[in-house]
Each structure stands twice: as C-alpha cells, then as structure tokens.
Amino acid sequence: LEFRRVLFRSDAVQADEFLVLLSELRTLLDDYLSTRRDCAVRSLRDVVDFNRRNAERELAHFGQEFFEQASTTDGMRTVEYAEARRRNVEWANACFAPLWADFDVLVAPAYAPAWNTDYAKGHSEARGGAVTTPAAILGLPIVTIPCGLVNGLPVGVSFVGPAQSEAALIAAASVVEASLGLAGDTSFRPRDIGGTR
C-alpha cells in the first residue's frame, strides 16, 4: 500500500515530467541533428518547418504538437528544466530506494493491455505502467517480456532492478519466460489487423 501511494503521479509530478520531456527533446534532437552532415534538417525547428511544408504527407494521420511545444522551449539549459528534473529524480528515488534493501528485482505489469492505433482518435486508450515511469526517470534497467493476450493484443510483465542489475533482470525474465512457455508461443507473433501489420 505504501509503495502504491509513493508511485502515485500527482499533477505536479506529471507537469515536471512533461517539461523535462519537451526540454530534453529540444536539446538532444538539436544536438543530434546538428552532427548529421547528410541531413537537410539540422534542428527540431527545421523538422517542424519541414513537416508543415509537407503536411499532406508528414501530418496526414497525426499532428506534431510535442515537437511544436518542444521547439519553443530553451531546452535543457534552463533553471526551470534543472529544477523539474531534480524534482522528478527525487520522486523516482522515493519510489524505489526503500525497496533495494530487501529486493533484487521488482516484478510488475508493464502497461495496461496494448491498444490499436486509431487514426481519427489517436491513442486515447494508451495507459502507461506505474513501475516503468520512475525506473525510466532514474535510468534503471528494465526488462519486459510478453506474458499474455487481452483481446488479441499483448500484455507484458516488467522486471526492474537497481543500477547495474541487467544480468539479474535477464536471468529472472528468462526463468519466467521459460516457465510460462513463452519462447515458442506463436500467438505473440505479428498478425494482420485490419490490413496493417
């Protein structure tokens, strides 16, 4: 119960996450694109402009709201970013730090059942996993394996551990995968859904 309370993502935690996402998107994509000598776009703003000029093709099914919002930020080199990132790390540490004294591996559902892409509505059914978010914020290793199907779409189980625990996570996931007979299960292979793969 206490772990579930700590894992709760308040509006403030989510706002910090979003600011960090936009800021990192701006800085890291700008940094990457600036090194690409073979690429006509050299920044996130170039990507946004390219997509606008080619909207019929590039934005036919989805918008670029996050790109547009990120392109207006000053990236990772601001006090606002540093403070939001600090608060996110503090929250994520509060989620996991007490566990590592007693447990080597945390096992939990990865996400809610997978969802179909709807070109009209987007991903309205998308729901993330409570355990994967703080682990991703801290850069902790995560191994996820499929463990079943809901309405023909996969659900997964995640194994999270402290830093440098990749070997233990892979070993734990391998044991679960073998005991459930997942490795040879053909139901997890891609199938044709409505004419798309």
Side-chain angles (χ1 to χ4, degrees):
L1 183 59
E2 178 64 17
F3 182 62
R4 284 175 52 200
R5 185 191 64 74
V6 172
L7 270 178
F8 173 73
R9 288 166 55 214
S10 68
D11 290 344
V13 169
Q14 293 183 59
D16 282 342
E17 279 182 78
F18 192 60
L19 189 150
V20 167
L21 173 115
L22 295 179
S23 300
E24 291 181 354
L25 176 59
R26 171 67 191 273
T27 296
L28 298 175
L29 193 56
D30 278 358
D31 289 352
Y32 168 73
L33 290 173
S34 70
T35 68
R36 295 292 309 267
R37 302 291 175 229
D38 60 335
C39 187
V41 294
R42 304 300 297 278
S43 69
L44 177 56
R45 286 188 174 144
D46 288 348
V47 173
V48 168
D49 292 341
F50 176 88
N51 289 343
R52 285 179 182 162
R53 286 192 309 273
N54 300 280
E56 188 173 306
R57 183 182 68 218
E58 301 299 329
L59 304 176
H61 298 298
F62 302 104
Q64 60 175 356
E65 294 85 359
F66 291 170
F67 276 13
E68 298 215 13
Q69 291 174 60
S71 72
T72 66
T73 73
D74 291 322
M76 296 167 61
R77 298 169 184 99
T78 67
V79 172
E80 292 79 15
Y81 165 78
E83 285 300 304
R85 175 74 178 135
R86 180 189 58 74
R87 288 189 300 267
N88 264 175
V89 168
E90 285 178 0
W91 170 78
N93 273 322
C95 293
F96 286 123
L99 298 174
W100 302 140
D102 298 316
F103 302 100
D104 296 323
V105 176
L106 177 64
V107 181
Y111 290 93
W115 51 89
N116 284 314
T117 296
D118 185 317
Y119 288 133
K121 299 177 191 170
H123 295 297
S124 59
E125 300 173 34
R127 291 178 302 279
V131 167
T132 54
T133 297
I137 287 171
L138 294 174
L140 297 178
I142 306 170
V143 173
T144 300
I145 61 171
C147 66
L149 299 170
V150 173
N151 297 325
L153 295 169
V155 292
V157 61
S158 287
F159 302 77
V160 179
Q164 310 301 316
S165 65
E166 288 85 350
L169 297 181
I170 291 169
S174 179
V175 167
V176 171
E177 185 178 54
S179 69
L180 295 177
L182 299 174
D185 190 336
T186 60
S187 63
F188 294 111
R189 293 186 182 154
R191 63 186 177 91
D192 190 9
I193 300 175
T196 60
R197 265 198 194 275

